[in-house]
Amino acid sequence: MDSYKLLITGGIPLMGETYVSGGKNTSVAVIPATLLSDEPCTIENLPDIEDVRVLKDILTDLGAKVDYLPESKRMTVDPRNVHSWLVPYRQSQRMRASYYMLGALLGRFGQAEVGYPGGCSIGARPVDQHLKAFRAMGAEVEERGAVITAKGKMHGTPVYFDRITVGGTINAMLAAAKAEGNTVLYNAAREPHVVDLANFLNSMGCRVRGAGTDVIRIMGAPYLHGSTYTVIPDQIETGTLMIAAAATRGDVVIRGCIPAHMEALTAKLLEMGVAVSDMDDAIRVRTVRGHRAVNIKTQEYPGFPTDLQQPMSALLTRASGDSIVIETIFESRFKHLNEMQRMGARVRILDQTAIIEGVSELYGAPVTATDLRAGAALVIAGLMANGTTEIYEPGFIERGYEHIEEKLRALGANIRREPLEAQEMRF
Ligand code: EPU
């Protein structure tokens, strides 16, 4: 339980300029990939978030020399003395992306023993497709207790994913980077962070072709040299800031982002009547008239991202008309809407579908963040609401958004943290 809560007094239009930090879901793939290198690597533009700190600990425990100063956003990893392929459960359950240690260690040693991953509770989140890829490449995989053990010399092979999986695609790329021969991934994920990992592997001397399409070819290289690599800006943070600007009827320029990654969200905001203009590496979002209701169906990239469904559905609670939101990727991603009913939102949830009847006013209430993006959605809700919203368990939000409070305050938001009272700690 977090020892503090976030307080947001809403109703203030966000105004001014802000910037986007490095991508969470790309950093958590690129950092494990440094284990595949035969020389030191430097990763730049890393966000200062919990997942990056956990990965630093995991790599250090394995024997890597890691220099990381969050203020510099740069991590240097010298993996030459890594002597272990074991990531114990106590470490692995600190984050979701610890499953990338399986692919990275298999790629490096032909052996990995990694505890089950933790992360947000948004659905069952099986890893069968990851394990299927490892097995196809020559690993014997066992799942025992809370640990997955994989062993075998990796060799190139075709892998067909039964469903599109970001994590499975990235894990297979990691395992294949040093494999003998060519690996071809069919029905691969096309997310920007898959492309970013491919670019990093290529910068080390691997040959990855086709990332960004649904067929990725990896020609393994026995020796990978060191590289200095800058991760891409965070697509989901960009989108969350865009939604926050629209939700408060503000006027915000978001710098340091990649507008091409935001097309699905931009199209929906335009459909709602929000003005969105793209510049080279910036997006301006402003509201010139009321928001119309729109329908959303989450899909794999380049469809509407599931990670933006929660902030977007918070925005839709105040649009004029009814919106239908269909979540196709994860089973439990509407918990924020249940919380928002206490703030005056009118919502009906039937399995994977939420029907949102727009209301003209939300009011502040105590709410609890249940996962990272639910937390972001509740921040959006708090910014829109009249009065003060108290968000419990805000630690979830900081796991994925660097300095979010400071960024919103700089745009004019009234957001602050307060320690919990003794009676609040009892729940
Ligand atoms: N799936 C399987 N079997 C598998 C793998 C996935 O059935 O072996 C299913 C999942 O249960 C889900 C769907 O396939 O229903 C897609 O899952 P995917 O593997 O693409 O998701 P992930 O790798 O677990 C990553 C991000 C998520 C993001 C999803 C979808 C990281 C660390 N996590 O998760 O990010 O929602 O892709 O884009 O990159 C977040 O940032 O808040 C977050 C949850």
Side-chain angles (χ1 to χ4, degrees), residues 25 99 125-129 163 165-167 307 329 373:
N25 288 346
Y99 53 28
R125 309 189 80 176
V127 291
D128 58 300
Q129 298 300 306
R163 65 171 298 165
T165 151
V166 173
D307 293 344
I329 310 289
R373 308 299 172 190

Side-chain angles (χ1 to χ4, degrees), residues 106-274:
L106 254 184
R108 161 108 186 221
F109 293 114
Q111 194 149 358
E113 208 175 315
V114 178
Y116 272 97
C120 288
S121 162
I122 51 179
R125 309 189 80 176
V127 291
D128 58 300
Q129 298 300 306
H130 305 226
L131 306 189
K132 172 183 165 164
F134 299 151
R135 286 190 176 109
M137 284 185 251
E140 274 184 32
V141 181
E142 263 187 59
E143 296 179 78
R144 232 180 311 124
V147 175
I148 301 173
T149 308
K151 190 173 179 180
K153 190 169 157 41
M154 295 291 94
H155 58 73
T157 187
V159 176
Y160 177 81
F161 289 111
D162 298 317
R163 65 171 298 165
I164 300 175
T165 151
V166 173
T169 302
I170 286 178
N171 238 338
M173 288 164 72
L174 294 169
K178 295 189 110 167
E180 211 177 291
N182 298 343
T183 301
V184 188
L185 307 179
Y186 295 99
N187 201 23
R190 291 179 282 172
E191 265 67 4
H193 32 296
V194 172
V195 179
D196 210 32
L197 175 67
N199 289 338
F200 176 53
L201 293 174
N202 286 337
S203 77
M204 292 196 286
C206 191
R207 278 178 302 152
V208 183
R209 303 289 180 262
T213 76
D214 57 3
V215 180
I216 302 178
R217 293 187 158 74
I218 304 131
M219 287 143 264
Y223 188 92
L224 294 181
H225 57 75
S227 162
T228 295
Y229 189 78
T230 304
V231 299
I232 53 170
D234 198 299
Q235 177 203 16
I236 306 305
E237 188 200 3
T238 307
T240 306
L241 291 168
M242 289 169 72
I243 293 168
T248 58
R249 290 155 203 253
D251 185 351
V252 176
V253 175
I254 300 157
R255 298 212 174 271
C257 60
I258 300 180
H261 292 166
M262 305 314 306
E263 275 167 11
L265 174 64
T266 297
K268 281 294 161 188
L269 289 177
L270 290 172
E271 200 180 319
M272 289 182 75
V274 177

Side-chain angles (χ1 to χ4, degrees), residues 265-330:
L265 174 64
T266 297
K268 281 294 161 188
L269 289 177
L270 290 172
E271 200 180 319
M272 289 182 75
V274 177
V276 183
S277 30
D278 291 357
M279 293 158 254
D280 283 348
D281 66 345
I283 297 179
R284 179 178 179 195
V285 177
R286 72 207 150 91
T287 291
V288 281
R289 55 186 115 88
H291 296 154
R292 287 187 290 272
V294 294
N295 298 332
I296 304 276
K297 185 176 181 184
T298 61
Q299 279 171 330
E300 296 86 4
Y301 191 82
F304 194 94
T306 173
D307 293 344
L308 287 176
Q309 177 270 108
Q310 290 160 296
M312 185 67 174
S313 51
L315 168 64
L316 291 174
T317 61
R318 272 197 58 207
S320 71
D322 292 356
S323 302
I324 297 175
V325 178
I326 304 176
E327 170 57 62
T328 72
I329 310 289
F330 291 111

Side-chain angles (χ1 to χ4, degrees), residues 388-408:
T388 298
T389 299
E390 296 167 283
I391 305 181
Y392 291 90
E393 302 303 329
F396 278 115
I397 306 167
E398 278 149 22
R399 274 170 55 179
Y401 292 92
E402 179 185 63
H403 307 153
I404 188 70
E405 289 165 58
E406 288 85 342
K407 285 186 185 183
L408 291 173

